[in-house]
Amino acid sequence: MIAHGKDIKIFAGNSNRTLAEAICKDLNITLGNAEVGRFSDGENFVSIYETVRGSDVFVVQSTCQPVNDNLMEMLVMIDAFKRASAGRITAVMPYFGYARQDRKAKPRDPISAKLVANMIVAAGADRVLTMDLHASQIQGFFDIPVDNLLGNPIFVEYFRDKYKGQEDDTIVVSPDVGSVARARAFAQKLGMNLAIVDKRRQKANSSEVMNIIGDVRGKKVILFDDMVDTAGSLCGAAKALVEIGGAIDVTACASHGVLSGPAIERIEQSYINQVVFLDTVPSRPEVKCDKIKYLSVSHMFAEAIDRIYEEISVSKLFT
């Protein structure tokens, strides 16, 4: 018997239950029987309707909007499993909220990503499984193991098929200097060149495009980023690529489609023909946009969970 848990049990909060069910389907197991809800005053509660004693428990919960409610749900669930004598508890966070607050950008700023890491550890989690952290150094904020999966291979497979034979006419573009490293790795795997949109951010959730580094004239463009929140940066970059750079076609992709505020309206009115997201953040029923496409991460998370349980290296999933 594996020392840390006699079997795998997967439970889900309310943020991304569809993904949790898809992971269970890939693993050929049943989603754990639990109820996660709120009292009339807004407090969270969880009721677990099956034994977890000695089990290797995985709690699937993206801390997307409503961020604070979903974060608190996960913490309460972890505490419940800890008190129910689970063998090991892994917080599976396909999208890690508060990741953008990873440093002091100006005096007296909080480092909220570290605070959230402390809360997850204090609640009783033994490890964390996530995808495409906004800043890789957040792994060091935890005093427990963190596996940060990359959505890159999923996008590579999709765009390799889409642009097969058109590599010389297609170019990968990083929407800002901070995303250059991940965009370069993506471009290398596709055998495409790389360009960069240089921008100056004036305030939160707004940006001003200044210059394009690289030749995109007459090219098809793939804008590659880790997340899209209000879509201002993404749509601004697409506008500059077409109007200033002379690109003829713009497709965008990002791991996390947060899509808050005016994001959908901006995407609809932009030069972008298609935006491809991973389903780390679930699509909302009220969001209707023909330009948006989702790719599933369930298989990758299912394999990671199986490897963690079996104590097999997870590094294969990064290539």
Side-chain angles (χ1 to χ4, degrees):
M1 185 195 307
I2 295 175
H4 59 254
K6 59 187 180 184
D7 56 359
I8 295 177
K9 292 201 173 183
I10 297 177
F11 293 84
N14 293 314
S15 71
N16 206 339
R17 191 176 180 87
T18 302
L19 177 58
E21 290 171 346
I23 292 171
C24 288
K25 185 176 180 180
D26 286 336
L27 289 171
N28 197 28
I29 62 176
T30 304
L31 186 64
N33 187 12
E35 180 185 0
V36 185
R38 293 181 180 86
F39 294 112
S40 58
D41 64 351
E43 291 182 4
N44 295 101
F45 74 84
V46 58
S47 297
I48 306 166
Y49 298 126
E50 61 182 87
T51 181
V52 295
R53 185 176 295 272
S55 297
D56 203 358
V57 173
F58 294 83
V59 182
V60 181
Q61 179 83 329
S62 288
T63 49
C64 49
Q65 57 182 318
V67 180
N68 297 329
D69 288 340
N70 287 331
L71 175 60
M72 196 63 199
E73 268 189 17
M74 184 182 66
L75 296 175
V76 171
M77 291 180 74
I78 291 171
D79 182 75
F81 292 123
K82 191 75 173 179
R83 296 177 188 279
S85 301
R88 182 173 64 176
I89 303 168
T90 301
V92 182
M93 305 173 68
Y95 169 67
F96 184 93
Y98 284 103
R100 285 173 287 180
Q101 300 181 43
D102 65 310
R103 68 195 186 283
K104 292 186 68 170
K106 60 182 187 295
R108 295 173 294 281
D109 269 1
I111 304 180
S112 303
K114 171 58 176 170
L115 173 62
V116 171
N118 289 344
M119 292 166 68
I120 293 169
V121 174
D126 295 298
R127 67 186 304 130
V128 171
L129 175 62
T130 186
M131 176 171 276
D132 283 333
L133 286 169
H134 186 66
S136 296
Q137 64 266 23
I138 292 174
Q139 293 175 83
F141 292 177
F142 289 87
D143 295 324
I144 56 177
V146 177
D147 292 304
N148 181 30
L149 300 179
L150 304 178
N152 192 317
I154 300 174
F155 286 127
V156 168
E157 183 178 354
Y158 175 78
F159 285 106
R160 182 176 285 151
D161 291 339
K162 182 173 182 177
Y163 292 107
K164 188 174 184 179
Q166 305 176 56
E167 290 82 1
D168 293 338
D169 300 320
T170 310
I171 188 167
V172 174
V173 176
S174 171
D176 55 47
V177 176
S179 299
V180 170
R182 62 168 60 93
R184 181 184 294 116
F186 179 61
Q188 287 175 343
K189 289 182 179 180
L190 287 174
M192 298 176 182
N193 290 323
L194 177 69
I196 304 166
V197 176
D198 178 34
K199 68 181 182 183
R200 181 176 301 166
R201 187 177 295 275
Q202 303 297 327
K203 58 182 179 179
N205 293 329
S206 68
S207 63
E208 179 183 355
V209 175
M210 303 297 291
N211 194 21
I212 298 171
I213 303 170
D215 184 15
V216 299
R217 187 165 300 279
K219 302 270 189 177
K220 295 179 180 178
V221 165
I222 305 172
L223 268 169
F224 185 78
D225 208 352
D226 67 319
M227 67 179 295
V228 175
D229 187 358
T230 60
S233 297
L234 192 76
C235 295
K239 181 178 180 180
L241 288 166
V242 173
E243 295 184 356
I244 300 173
I248 59 172
D249 181 88
V250 180
T251 300
C253 64
S255 298
H256 313 299
V258 178
L259 303 179
S260 64
I264 299 299
E265 182 180 354
R266 284 174 172 172
I267 291 172
E268 288 278 19
Q269 297 174 359
S270 72
Y271 284 100
I272 300 171
N273 296 318
Q274 185 184 53
V275 186
V276 183
F277 295 122
L278 303 179
D279 60 353
T280 56
V281 177
S283 60
R284 302 193 300 277
E286 70 274 14
V287 173
K288 307 291 184 183
C289 182
D290 293 335
K291 290 186 177 183
I292 295 176
K293 178 181 178 65
Y294 285 91
L295 303 178
S296 179
V297 297
S298 65
H299 179 70
M300 183 173 285
F301 273 95
E303 186 171 353
I305 288 171
D306 188 52
R307 285 172 171 271
I308 289 169
Y309 173 72
E310 296 288 351
E311 300 289 6
I312 301 173
S313 173
V314 182
S315 61
K316 175 192 172 185
L317 302 177
F318 299 114
T319 58

